[in-house]
Amino acid sequence: GEDVEQSLFLSVREGDSSVINCTYTDSSSTYLYWYKQEPGAGLQLLTYIFSNMDMKQDQRLTVLLNKKDKHLSLRIADTQTGDSAIYFCAESEGNSGGYQKVTFGTGTKLQVIP
Amino acid sequence: GAVVSQHPSRVICKSGTSVKIECRSLDFQATTMFWYRQFPKKSLMLMATSNEGSKATYEQGVEKDKFLINHASLTLSTLTVTSAHPEDSSFYICSAPRLGRGNNEQFFGPGTRLTVL
């Protein structure tokens, strides 16, 4: 089955950049996502990228995709204390008329030190 | 953005009782909703896909008689944990993709924390 792996923990100083990495195994992944989960809350979609893209930038967020290595990363520029949360990488095979299952990674807990 | 609500946000129940969790899409219709379970410090595990007007599709290893799903309308899906046991204690999250938007954005509910004593 599909497998999505992430490191469990990342600690950065406020103002620095954070880079959260993810690897996946499903070569037919079409969509790759980054979600944010704050303590005790549901998930918030931060951004997503199609598998035919290498990069996507959205304000402080930059997503890089290396499809050959099946590696996805999320860079948060100028990390703030409010960015402290768990970040989930996820993938799906896309939509062929129906909604496809989304497989989530294990989550990376980002701790921002003031 | 679209909003998905869940009720209750927290529930504590005795072993052997049944608990119903509601998932509502507040400002859009959802023919499909997904139910996830999240263990502490673990990822989300998809339990089942709830389909309006038809039976839910369960993932391998998920007992359909234990976790009853009813997609009663285009804005409501319910998950009933029957005869709950302490090992059912978990954080249950639902999500709904908005119609016409494919799979590229699912909206997640805030989750329901179930504690079974």
Side-chain angles (χ1 to χ4, degrees):
Chain A
E2 305 87 355
D3 197 19
V4 182
E5 297 286 339
Q6 299 176 239
S7 54
L8 292 179
F9 188 76
L10 176 66
S11 180
V12 299
R13 291 202 174 277
E14 189 174 18
D16 289 348
S17 293
S18 309
V19 180
I20 302 170
N21 294 300
C22 169
T23 57
Y24 59 98
T25 58
D26 189 355
S27 58
S28 56
S29 296
T30 303
Y31 294 89
L32 294 127
Y33 312 84
W34 284 103
Y35 286 88
K36 178 182 181 182
Q37 184 181 35
E38 298 188 65
L43 275 75
Q44 173 196 357
L45 178 65
L46 288 178
T47 187
Y48 66 91
I49 190 169
F50 295 108
S51 61
N52 61 358
M53 297 170 64
D54 298 324
M55 187 185 88
K56 181 177 181 181
Q57 188 155 0
D58 184 2
Q59 299 182 335
R60 291 191 297 124
L61 305 178
T62 303
V63 178
L64 295 177
L65 174 61
N66 181 328
K67 194 174 180 182
K68 175 175 170 289
D69 294 339
K70 298 190 184 72
H71 182 266
L72 183 75
S73 68
L74 173 69
R75 180 176 179 270
I76 305 172
D78 187 24
T79 311
Q80 302 297 307
T81 53
D83 295 324
S84 294
I86 300 176
Y87 290 80
F88 289 93
C89 168
E91 63 87 23
S92 74
E93 292 181 15
N95 181 19
S96 58
Y99 295 104
Q100 300 296 319
K101 181 172 80 169
V102 176
T103 300
F104 286 85
T106 47
T108 299
K109 184 173 184 178
L110 174 64
Q111 179 188 51
V112 182
I113 303 166
Chain B
V3 177
V4 173
S5 72
Q6 282 185 241
H7 178 78
S9 57
R10 289 179 181 270
V11 58
I12 300 172
C13 70
K14 291 183 179 179
S15 188
T17 60
S18 294
V19 174
K20 182 186 282 189
I21 303 169
E22 293 185 347
C23 177
R24 291 182 187 272
S25 55
L26 296 185
D27 54 356
F28 67 101
Q29 294 181 329
T31 55
T32 301
M33 289 184 177
F34 299 96
W35 285 97
Y36 294 86
R37 182 174 176 177
Q38 185 178 26
F39 295 94
K41 300 181 181 178
K42 297 281 187 183
S43 184
L44 280 77
M45 179 191 80
L46 179 66
M47 298 174 66
T49 304
S50 172
N51 304 297
E52 191 269 336
S54 65
K55 291 182 181 180
T57 305
Y58 289 82
E59 294 299 304
Q60 193 173 7
V62 179
E63 298 175 60
K64 61 181 181 181
D65 296 328
K66 169 78 173 174
F67 298 99
L68 300 178
I69 291 173
N70 181 24
H71 201 129
S73 73
L74 286 171
T75 59
L76 173 64
S77 174
T78 60
L79 168 69
T80 302
V81 182
T82 62
S83 187
H85 287 97
E87 57 265 31
D88 299 324
S89 297
S90 195
F91 195 52
Y92 292 87
I93 301 177
C94 71
S95 74
R98 188 146 61 171
L99 279 175
R101 294 203 172 205
N103 195 43
N104 58 0
E105 186 159 13
Q106 291 191 32
F107 297 93
F108 284 81
T112 297
R113 185 162 302 282
L114 170 63
T115 303
V116 185
L117 302 176

